[in-house]
Amino acid sequence: MTDFLQQARPGVQHLAPYQPGKPIEELQRELGLSKIVKLASNENPLGPSPKALAAIHAALQASPAELGRYPDGNGFVLKDAIRRQFGWAPDRITLGNGSNDVLELVARAFLGEGDDAIYARHAFAVYPLAVQATGARGIEVAAKDYGHDLPAMAAAVTPATKVIFLANPNNPTGTWFERSEFEAFMAAVPAQVVVVLDEAYGEFVTDPQALDGFAVLDRYPNLIVSRTLAKAYGLASLRVGYAVASAAITNILNRVRQPFNVNSLALVAAAAAIGDSEFVARSRDLNEAGRQQWLQGLQALGLSAIPSRGNFLCVDMGRSALPLFQALLREGVIVRPVANYGLPNHLRISIGLADENAFALAALARVLQAATVAGATA
Ligand SMILES: *Cc1c(COP(=O)(O)O)cnc(C)c1O
């Protein structure tokens, strides 16, 4: 029998698939629990922007037959909404099937065998996946306080380096870097190296001094800023994100983009959501309150989290986290183990609604209590 793994490209043979958060329905099927709280995938607990929902309903009402046609491959309506909201011309925008798609477009366009790409330890898992699938070599640079060590990342550049991936804030750690650190980094990186600044959680950042990729983009022809509608805008299931970059880089990314990579309902919803600043502000405020609720609750349990600017906390359980993750599942609480990120003692917990946070904190207290008793009698 053919071993098809041997037929796959070398970069693909060694890939370990991305591990998504456990779906609510799956846990319901397995355990038959009546109440389940999912805080595992950094989704917006408010759900989608109401403007996005209304736009989908209106589109289906007005022209249901459109679902039988291909979507607008140029995404005119969404690009126009991005232009109105942020000022970017359409020739600066690449739309993606989630920003995950954008990350893969960058890898496909710029990387192949013999090339290097750099990313940080504990950084978003899609970077190594996208890089290795192309046959390029991924260079993982050691973290500093769980975050990106930007001077070390700049120092890791070699003539083979084509792309550097940065996440600000990073997932799963929630760590961030300052504008001055980023500027020093960009000054140190050769002008031909493409830098991806992934701002999937940018909308949750409250510090007015924080680095904003859009504010610095025009200074760096080699910079790609990546954003998503999946997190703050609450459209995770529709899969839509985008990159903004120079017209030259945008032209290249669009050469490897599937012609119809964003579906028509996602385009309609995203165009409505992108202008819904009120909803984004409400999501940010809710997140801020929820983060305080979690930090206080964790402190009461004697636990601490890595300082985070995202809509999640990476909590140090002080012991192997996997049994606690499993015990929380039995309590109806889905969080995310991050051993695959080199963090076997941490759990990543998305910030939910106040009652979801309270439910999860109470479950965590019970689970820790049981674990301590078991540990004492073992
Ligand atoms: C969630 C996430 C993304 C991508 O999400 P999409 O749903 O594909 O838009 C990108 N980067 C980071 C760091 C993320 O956590």
Side-chain angles (χ1 to χ4, degrees), residues 98-145:
S99 58
N100 194 324
D101 190 21
V102 166
L103 301 172
E104 285 183 22
L105 295 181
V106 174
R108 282 202 28 226
F110 290 101
L111 296 172
E113 255 125 71
D115 298 326
D116 285 0
I118 296 174
Y119 40 79
R121 175 95 174 132
H122 313 311
F124 187 41
V126 167
Y127 309 150
L129 281 176
V131 168
Q132 288 160 29
T134 68
R137 191 165 61 130
I139 308 285
E140 184 183 271
V141 175
K144 191 174 154 209
D145 297 331

Side-chain angles (χ1 to χ4, degrees), residues 106-107 109-118 136-137 139 157-165 189-196 222 224 249:
V106 174
F110 290 101
L111 296 172
E113 255 125 71
D115 298 326
D116 285 0
I118 296 174
R137 191 165 61 130
I139 308 285
V157 172
T158 70
T161 306
K162 289 285 193 66
V163 180
I164 305 177
F165 291 95
V189 168
Q192 79 280 6
V193 174
V194 170
V195 175
V196 178
N222 58 332
I224 300 173
I249 286 184

Side-chain angles (χ1 to χ4, degrees), residues 119-123 140-153 165-177 181 306-307 343:
Y119 40 79
R121 175 95 174 132
H122 313 311
E140 184 183 271
V141 175
K144 191 174 154 209
D145 297 331
Y146 296 106
H148 291 25
D149 183 345
L150 290 185
M153 292 180 80
F165 291 95
L166 306 177
N168 192 51
N170 182 48
N171 167 24
T173 57
T175 50
W176 66 92
F177 41 84
E181 298 174 286
I306 299 170
L343 299 166

Side-chain angles (χ1 to χ4, degrees), residues 271-324:
I274 213 98
D276 196 352
S277 307
E278 191 267 334
F279 179 75
V280 173
R282 194 147 59 89
S283 304
R284 184 188 302 123
D285 291 348
L286 178 78
N287 188 58
E288 208 50 33
R291 186 195 289 126
Q292 293 314 317
Q293 182 185 1
W294 268 103
L295 290 175
Q296 281 164 21
L298 291 171
Q299 193 178 26
L301 295 173
L303 298 173
S304 66
I306 299 170
S308 167
R309 282 189 172 177
N311 62 343
F312 55 89
L313 288 164
C314 200
V315 183
D316 186 354
M317 309 309 294
R319 67 183 94 183
S320 173
L322 202 59
L324 298 173

Side-chain angles (χ1 to χ4, degrees), residues 48 64 84 132 346:
R84 276 182 280 127
Q132 288 160 29
H346 287 73

